[in-house]
Structure formats: C-alpha cells, structure tokens
Amino acid sequence: MDEMDLMKKLRDVPSPGPEAYDRARTALQTAMAEPVATVVRPKRWFSWPKVGVAAVGAAAVAAAVVMGTSGGSVPAGPSGAAPQAAEAPLAVEAPLVKLASAVQAAGTQPGDASLIINTKFGLDDKPDLYYTLYTDKGQQFTGDSAKTLVDAVAKGHAEPATPYDGKVMAAARLAANGDVDQARIAMITASNNALGVGLSPAEADKAWAAAQAETADMFRKMGKPVPAPRPRPTGKDLENLIDNHLWSNAEHALFANAADAEVRAGVLKLYATIPDMIVGKTSVDGQAALTLTAPPAILAGSADVLIINADNGLPIREEITSAESSERYVVNYKSSRVTLADVAAGKI
C-alpha cells in the first residue's frame, strides 16, 4: 500500500492538530523500518482527505501525508562532527541564487498577511481547494472555501502558532539575509534533530536514541507494537535524510508564506544547496517558470517536481508521481499579499 492508497482509506476522520503532526513527523522519521527519505506535508498545505491520530496512530498519520522527495550529497563535516551543509554545484546555484536576489530586491508587497490557495487534482481530476492565511504576526487561518476562510478571519478563529512554523520561517529569513550555512542547519533541524546534524558522533547517537525512545513511548501509549531499535543512519542514507528534511521544511515555509519576499528568497537560497536537484525551464499559462526536480533515485523511484515563477519565485504547481502505483497528483498554487481587514470583509 502506498501513501495515496492509505489516504483513500482514511476519509471522514477528524483532522489532528499541529502538535499531533509534530509527533507524527517524529514518529515517521525515527521509527520507519528503513532509513529512507521522507517528506511530511501538513494537511493545510496539501489538502488530501482528512486523517486522524486517534484512528490510525501517529506514524500512520505521518505516512498518510508523506511523499518521498529530495536528497543530495552532504560532505563530511569537521572532524568528530555529523554531516554539515553542502555547497551546491554552480548549475543549481546560479539560477536560484540569482532569482533569490531579485526577489529580495523587489521586496514584499503591501499587506499584513500572505494568502495561498491550493487546488489539488487527484486521480478523478476533481479540484479540491484549500485556503491558508499566514499573518505577519504568525497567526494562521484556514478554510476549504473562500467563505469558510472569511468566516474564520471575521470571527478571529486563528489556529495556534506552532514552534515548528516559527523555526522554518526564521531559518528562511536567516538564509535570505546571508548566513546560508547556519540557516541550512536550522531548517534541517526545524522539526527535530534526531539525525544529529552538527553534533559530535556521541551527541548524535544520544539524540537518535532519545528520539527512538520517544517514538517507542508513543507507540506504547497507542497500544501499538513498539518498533525494534535501529542504529542511527549513516553514509548515503543519512545524507539523503538530511537533504530530505531540508527540502520538506523549506517547502513548508514556502507554502505557508510564499508572498513574503524574505521567506521566499531564503527558501530559494536553501534549495540552491541541494546538489542533486535539477533546475529546468518551462512555461505555465504563458508565464516563464522554473522546475525544481528531485532525482527519482533519492525519492525511492517517486518523482516530485515543484514549479515556480521564473520572475518572482512564487510557487505555481507541484506534480507528484508515486513510484509504486505510477499515479500522478497535481496541486496548483496561487499566492498573494492581503490585509486581514479585507479578507474579513470578504475581499479575496
């Protein structure tokens, strides 16, 4: 059963909150049978049918919103340290860093929030819309239609901010303002540092053991069989997971707050550090675009292509193809700056 098959079996179950997703992310990243690259997509960015922790357990929830992506090579860090950030080849770095500079120079448009509308097309090709509003103060409002979003904003029904959201935004801004190496580590470790990035071997082993202990405790509380302990991933497995976390967490920042020029520029600079990613050119509805493609080999045979506007870096579309089923899924994105007052008044 692949992730999309699992999603089909989990319809009409209440959605978990942000803390449940944080726990699910940890469970998936530290308790999988094999250390393969994984990406967790929170429901509000990638709106597949609803899933619930109570119904299937944290690890299953994580798997239900997972598609493998990204990868790359991370050279050995300083003596006695875990792998550090990698420098990207010029073929990748040039277009993305150049675009990031242009984005930052243009600045953020007026407003006090970023609105992103995603339209998911599944196997039936029927559109499934989802609206997300991320304010400059870190609040989030969501809806499955313009009306439900307007109602949420008008009534002040903001979702609680999570430490994870704050960390990915801060990492993106750090990258935009020049310290890409530190920003890369901050983005990779935004959800946790079970992989021990930047730590000594002893500290990394300790972090991995602590994460596995936490996962085992979660499984016990859910009445599920506890996975057997595994050694911390090494070599290429570790490299792939590190770059995978970078891709996943940076994408979360982009999909939450793409209309913020500083966040967008930082994400582009961080993507430029993934050496095996392929940057190509295309056009979408008459607008010049860049394709950011993670190698299928790093995705365990799956494919994930993110398409962004070549002039302003805003996300346009994501195309995902499952390795196991060869099924293809498409999500279209529209991002803009807005004011809370306008949204509350129904002006979207």
Side-chain angles (χ1 to χ4, degrees):
M1 178 186 296
D2 65 14
E3 294 85 359
M4 297 309 175
D5 292 330
L6 180 55
M7 288 303 304
K8 295 172 187 174
K9 297 180 181 294
L10 298 174
R11 298 179 187 274
D12 302 322
V13 181
S15 297
E19 292 183 1
Y21 270 106
D22 288 341
R23 293 195 300 271
R25 181 182 298 109
T26 300
L28 185 66
Q29 291 173 348
T30 61
M32 292 183 301
E34 296 295 337
V36 296
T38 58
V39 160
V40 175
R41 301 188 190 287
K43 173 182 171 292
R44 60 182 177 271
W45 313 137
F46 198 71
S47 182
W48 298 108
K50 295 180 180 179
V51 292
V53 173
V56 295
V61 171
V65 288
V66 166
M67 287 298 295
T69 68
S70 190
S73 298
V74 180
S79 177
Q84 298 285 332
E87 293 185 2
L90 293 179
V92 171
E93 182 175 339
L96 293 186
V97 172
K98 181 178 179 180
L99 177 56
S101 297
V103 167
Q104 199 160 8
T108 298
Q109 295 298 309
D112 58 13
S114 294
L115 172 66
I116 188 161
I117 305 171
N118 72 47
T119 307
K120 182 265 294 182
F121 295 89
L123 299 180
D124 56 7
D125 284 331
K126 293 181 179 180
D128 178 13
L129 272 68
Y130 207 75
Y131 293 70
T132 302
L133 191 70
Y134 191 93
T135 74
D136 293 348
K137 294 181 179 181
Q139 295 175 302
Q140 299 173 66
F141 297 87
T142 62
D144 56 9
S145 68
K147 182 181 184 306
T148 55
L149 178 65
V150 168
D151 288 346
V153 174
K155 296 175 182 178
H157 291 171
E159 297 181 4
T162 68
Y164 173 70
D165 287 320
K167 288 178 181 179
V168 296
M169 298 302 168
R173 296 184 191 282
L174 182 61
N177 292 310
D179 197 342
V180 178
D181 289 341
Q182 288 301 313
R184 178 181 165 92
I185 294 174
M187 187 66 82
I188 291 167
T189 60
S191 57
N192 63 60
N193 194 15
L195 298 177
V197 177
L199 304 180
S200 69
E203 292 171 330
D205 286 340
K206 185 177 179 180
W208 178 258
Q212 290 210 107
E214 181 181 349
T215 297
D217 186 55
M218 288 170 51
F219 275 77
R220 278 191 290 268
K221 289 179 179 179
M222 293 185 296
K224 305 282 184 180
V226 176
R230 294 184 295 110
R232 188 171 66 91
T234 59
K236 190 62 176 177
D237 288 328
L238 179 58
E239 294 171 5
N240 288 347
L241 277 169
I242 287 174
D243 275 338
N244 174 270
H245 289 195
L246 174 62
W247 173 281
S248 172
N249 295 337
E251 192 171 61
H252 181 96
L254 183 67
F255 289 168
N257 204 8
D260 185 305
E262 192 173 54
V263 170
R264 191 163 74 253
V267 168
L268 292 172
K269 288 184 178 181
L270 289 169
Y271 278 165
T273 70
I274 301 176
D276 290 339
M277 184 172 63
I278 301 171
V279 178
K281 295 181 179 180
T282 188
S283 63
V284 178
D285 299 329
Q287 56 184 319
L290 297 178
T291 58
L292 280 56
T293 305
I298 296 176
L299 311 183
S302 294
D304 189 355
V305 180
L306 176 62
I307 303 174
I308 62 175
N309 185 289
D311 297 320
N312 57 32
L314 289 172
I316 299 174
R317 180 174 299 160
E318 184 172 23
E319 300 176 356
I320 300 171
T321 304
S322 168
E324 293 186 15
S325 64
S326 298
E327 294 173 343
R328 182 173 178 268
Y329 300 81
V330 176
V331 186
N332 290 337
Y333 296 94
K334 292 184 178 180
S335 306
S336 61
R337 287 288 288 177
V338 297
T339 65
L340 283 173
D342 282 348
V343 175
K347 301 176 182 178
I348 296 181

